[in-house]
Amino acid sequence: MAPAKIRGALNIGFQMAICIGILAANMVNYGTAQMKGGDGWRVSLALAAVPAVIMTVGAIFLPDTPNSLIERGQSEKAKEMLQKIRGVDDVSAEFQDLIEASETSKQVEHPWRNILQRRYRPQLVIVVLIPFFQQLTGINVIMFYAPVLFKTLGFGDNAALMSAVISGFVNVAATLVSVFTVDKFGRRKLFLQGGIQMLVCQIAVGALIGSVFGVSGEGSFSKGMGNAALILICLYVAAFAWSWGPLGWLVPSEIFPLEIRSAGQSINVSVNMLFTFFIGQLFLTLLCHLKFGLFFFFGGFVLIMTLFIFFFLPETKNVPIEEINRVFKAHWFWGKYIPDDAVIGNHHVPPKDA
């Protein structure tokens, strides 16, 4: 439903909600940890019902999208909805593009089978690798196990929880940066800048921890070195929050043609959740065996994924979703996979850096 020119900012609202939730959870945990009697964890767990209620009530007011209405044969309602959300009466060009995309999608009877076709190879590769790489940035190590990590680095129990709150605040603030810049500077620039910043921070944190704890894991941070580690981790979190965090959801959501979009989004979420599970289960074991080398381990993946973005991800800023094949057709590598008949719509001009 989002206009192409602000689609990125509105889509990142999803990631912003996640970041606010993480921050709220950290603050709840910090507060309930102070409760006497050992029942704080019950209060913390019960408060998870609050966002569940908000989502349930909010779903009641969620309108149908023009795409969905067209797919169900309600063209007039779709046009009215498009006029409403765009705020103008003349939506003929965009509406025609939606009709064309819908007609194309109706010719595809098996989206899960067809998504494996050569013409969808660029989108399939990207939608698998981006969520895969997103989890291997190591961000879930920080966000899931922040108190454990900070305690391991020499912070006390309360200080570790407070450090997790601080990183949560950074996460929210940096996501706001992405909201206001993603449609101005584009996806590629944020991906690349964030990747470089994360790589530098991970190498610095790994070197700092290695110089103090070594391979034995024995040692302690001075106050100054502890603060330096916290600052580096916050810079790392900030880089992720304005790049791979929101864009890991945004880009896969806008690269699929209508006829296979549901299958593509399912793959995106499935890969993301699968590797979230793996990293969550393996982190403590990796920390015990790799110690400070864990940061270099994730840093290696950050380097690989940054190079992948540089060479293989076309810019999708300001490109209507129904015309997304245009940018892949113009790409130096993916263009050979996109047939001419897959490029529809002639009403909008893609950005020059596509």
Side-chain angles (χ1 to χ4, degrees), residues 204-251:
V205 171
L208 185 63
I209 295 175
S211 67
V212 175
F213 294 93
V215 295
S216 66
E218 297 179 357
S220 61
F221 271 149
S222 65
K223 183 177 180 180
M225 297 189 76
N227 290 337
L230 178 59
I231 290 172
L232 286 170
I233 289 174
C234 286
L235 288 173
Y236 162 81
V237 170
F240 177 86
W242 63 53
S243 61
W244 277 87
L247 299 182
W249 295 104
L250 170 61
V251 172

Side-chain angles (χ1 to χ4, degrees), residues 23-92:
L23 174 60
N26 286 337
M27 296 178 69
V28 166
N29 288 338
Y30 180 78
T32 55
Q34 317 303 317
M35 294 177 62
K36 297 180 180 180
D39 291 328
W41 68 271
R42 289 188 173 88
V43 176
S44 176
L45 188 61
L47 287 175
V50 175
V53 171
I54 293 173
M55 287 189 291
T56 302
V57 174
I60 298 174
F61 301 96
L62 189 66
D64 285 312
T65 67
N67 277 333
S68 175
L69 292 168
I70 290 173
E71 288 291 296
R72 289 180 283 154
Q74 302 178 39
S75 297
E76 287 303 316
K77 286 187 177 181
K79 189 170 185 179
E80 291 174 4
M81 179 60 70
L82 189 61
Q83 291 171 331
K84 181 178 180 180
I85 61 179
R86 295 293 182 258
V88 295
D89 293 329
D90 185 10
V91 294
S92 300

Side-chain angles (χ1 to χ4, degrees), residues 161-242:
L161 287 170
M162 179 52 68
S163 298
V165 172
I166 293 172
S167 64
F169 270 113
V170 171
N171 198 22
V172 172
T175 302
L176 277 174
V177 173
S178 186
V179 169
F180 291 107
T181 59
V182 66
D183 291 310
K184 180 178 181 180
F185 298 116
R187 285 66 163 147
R188 279 173 51 85
K189 289 181 180 179
L190 286 181
F191 262 134
L192 295 173
Q193 190 283 328
I196 293 171
Q197 184 171 325
M198 282 192 291
L199 177 60
V200 171
C201 290
Q202 284 172 315
I203 292 175
V205 171
L208 185 63
I209 295 175
S211 67
V212 175
F213 294 93
V215 295
S216 66
E218 297 179 357
S220 61
F221 271 149
S222 65
K223 183 177 180 180
M225 297 189 76
N227 290 337
L230 178 59
I231 290 172
L232 286 170
I233 289 174
C234 286
L235 288 173
Y236 162 81
V237 170
F240 177 86
W242 63 53

